[in-house]
Amino acid sequence: MVDALGVAVVGFGWMGRVHTQAYARVAHHFPGLPLRPELVTVAEEVPGRAEEAAAQFGFASTARDWRDVAADPRVRAVSITAPNFLHREIGVAMAEAGKHIWIEKPVGLTAEDARAVADAVAKAGVQGAVGFNYRNAPAVEAARELIASGGIGRVTHARVRLFSDYAAHPEGALTWRYERERGGSGVLGDLASHGADLARFLLGDIAALTADTAIFLPERARPAGATAGHSRATGGELGAVENEDYVNCLLRFTSGARGVLEACRVSVGEQNNYGFEVHGTEGAVFWDFRRMNELNVSRGAGYQDQPVSTVYVGPGDGEFGAFQPGAANAMGYDDLKVIEAYRFLRSVAEGVPYGATLADAVHSATVLDAMARSAEDRAWVTVDAPA
């Protein structure tokens, strides 16, 4: 028997749309799921945007205030895709109202914010999923298994990169993303949060780090009205960009491995250049998000001049089989969010967490706080174990 689960989406920018589409598709790819999401309501403060979402996707109702969602008894689960500075307040309130939450990263602006949401979820006994979507790629899961099995020997060093041009245009509007109070730590929260999660997902906990950050475009024009995504603005009053465009970081893992994490939001010529290289004593594994369904793998006993092979993931890797019947058939970004939706809903159905959780968000945020502290102090810092 399949039960209906009333869901709501709070914040209907691009990511709110992605979550909604994932709810609409999840039963097609995972027909055995014992829950079926029903789109109850969408909350968005920008006039007309919620109504447009309801008309397109079939939400039963709309709201301007997210507090109406918290009070709505029809809603049992909530996607929180509002701006970063609202994540803590909304996440805590929804958990306290007994709603399961699927919340985008970063969960608030600091590790303290993420911990507050995690504590509220634990106290309420609800499920909490976090939008670390890149770990859901079947190739990433295959790489993790290869590393854990000793397939490349003992890991010696790794590099995680996240380069994007979404903020590279000098006419990009000065939205909340570039303000310390509302956007937090800039590219650290936007992209390096994924990097910290991937590094830990693949290689285990980070013990210490040293980081350097920079702002390369120090001023932007203020927008005249509501914005969506990465809008442009010209002719408006210029204001200061308060948070980071770029970060590079040296990592020491508890395993003894070393790493480099680098992220930039103003990389001209780079479009979603996300990936990693992991080297071990007997081989290496490489992944590039732009070729999401491939791994480049070197393994064997050759050591010097050892070749690298391209491996295409297939139905035996992660959730690939829910989307494609055979290896080398492509999956895309939105499919990763469908996997996320599936794991979130499965967590709700079974009362056991699947996929990235609030604990993972706290770990990532703790690393980001350490990066910010290191960049300010210009020193190595210990990464505190989350309480």
Side-chain angles (χ1 to χ4, degrees):
M1 181 177 178
V2 178
D3 294 328
L5 181 78
V7 301
V9 176
V10 175
F12 206 82
W14 172 71
M15 188 54 72
R17 180 179 297 270
V18 172
H19 276 231
T20 302
Q21 291 170 168
Y23 284 131
R25 293 177 54 200
V26 68
H28 301 162
H29 296 280
F30 299 97
L33 188 65
L35 291 175
R36 290 292 184 273
E38 290 188 353
L39 300 178
V40 171
T41 190
V42 54
E44 172 57 65
E45 64 177 13
V46 176
R49 192 177 287 176
E51 288 73 19
E52 291 175 6
Q56 182 175 1
F57 294 102
F59 287 96
S61 60
T62 65
R64 289 286 296 277
D65 192 331
W66 60 263
R67 294 169 184 82
D68 295 338
V69 176
D72 192 334
R74 300 172 300 167
V75 175
R76 295 173 56 199
V78 180
S79 279
I80 301 171
T81 54
N84 299 349
F85 65 96
L86 296 172
H87 285 190
R88 175 175 180 167
E89 183 181 11
I90 297 175
V92 169
M94 294 300 174
E96 290 178 345
K99 320 291 189 188
H100 306 283
I101 63 172
W102 175 13
I103 186 168
E104 275 305 314
K105 43 57 60 187
V107 180
L109 306 183
T110 64
E112 181 183 352
D113 287 348
R115 194 172 292 109
V117 179
D119 289 347
V121 164
K123 184 176 180 180
V126 296
Q127 295 297 316
V130 180
F132 289 130
N133 42 268
Y134 299 109
R135 63 155 62 190
N136 297 327
V140 173
E141 295 186 311
R144 185 185 193 221
E145 292 179 6
L146 176 67
I147 294 164
S149 70
I152 61 171
R154 175 177 53 82
V155 172
T156 53
H157 62 101
R159 176 173 176 255
V160 180
R161 70 185 185 282
L162 297 108
F163 299 145
S164 180
D165 63 355
Y166 70 79
H169 202 291
E171 294 179 359
L174 187 70
T175 65
W176 60 268
R177 292 182 182 276
Y178 304 101
E179 299 175 2
R180 183 73 63 183
E181 185 176 350
R182 298 195 296 165
S185 55
V187 75
L188 274 70
D190 276 358
L191 295 179
S193 58
H194 282 298
D197 181 68
L198 279 175
R200 178 171 169 266
F201 183 69
L202 294 168
L203 304 175
D205 288 339
I206 297 166
L209 58 81
T210 184
D212 184 33
T213 62
I215 298 173
F216 295 134
L217 295 177
E219 290 186 322
R220 296 179 182 273
R222 300 186 187 280
T227 60
H230 305 290
S231 304
R232 295 183 189 176
T234 57
E237 178 188 359
L238 292 178
V241 172
E242 298 174 351
N243 53 28
E244 301 85 351
D245 288 328
Y246 172 83
V247 60
N248 66 54
C249 184
L250 299 179
L251 308 171
R252 292 175 182 165
F253 293 88
T254 56
S255 67
R258 298 299 196 261
V260 177
L261 192 161
E262 190 175 15
C264 185
R265 65 188 181 187
V266 297
S267 296
V268 175
E270 301 280 15
Q271 297 87 38
N272 299 321
N273 183 357
Y274 309 153
F276 56 76
E277 302 102 43
V278 180
H279 296 266
T281 54
E282 299 173 13
V285 60
F286 312 90
W287 179 72
D288 187 326
F289 170 64
R290 298 165 300 179
R291 304 179 71 89
M292 190 178 82
N293 305 291
E294 301 177 15
L295 285 177
N296 289 320
V297 180
S298 178
R299 57 190 302 191
Y303 299 101
Q304 188 176 6
D305 299 326
Q306 183 165 287
V308 177
S309 300
T310 298
V311 177
Y312 298 99
V313 294
D317 299 304
E319 305 293 352
F320 186 93
F323 298 87
Q324 299 293 352
N329 287 288
M331 289 176 59
Y333 174 89
D334 284 13
D335 296 330
L336 302 183
K337 303 306 279 191
V338 175
I339 294 171
E340 226 170 81
Y342 162 66
R343 290 174 174 169
F344 171 50
L345 295 170
R346 185 179 176 190
S347 299
V348 172
E350 299 181 19
V352 177
Y354 292 92
T357 67
L358 269 300
D360 296 310
V362 173
H363 275 281
S364 175
T366 300
V367 172
L368 299 186
D369 281 5
M371 286 184 191
R373 192 165 68 250
S374 172
E376 183 177 355
D377 295 344
R378 299 186 179 183
W380 279 92
V381 301
T382 300
V383 178
D384 299 325

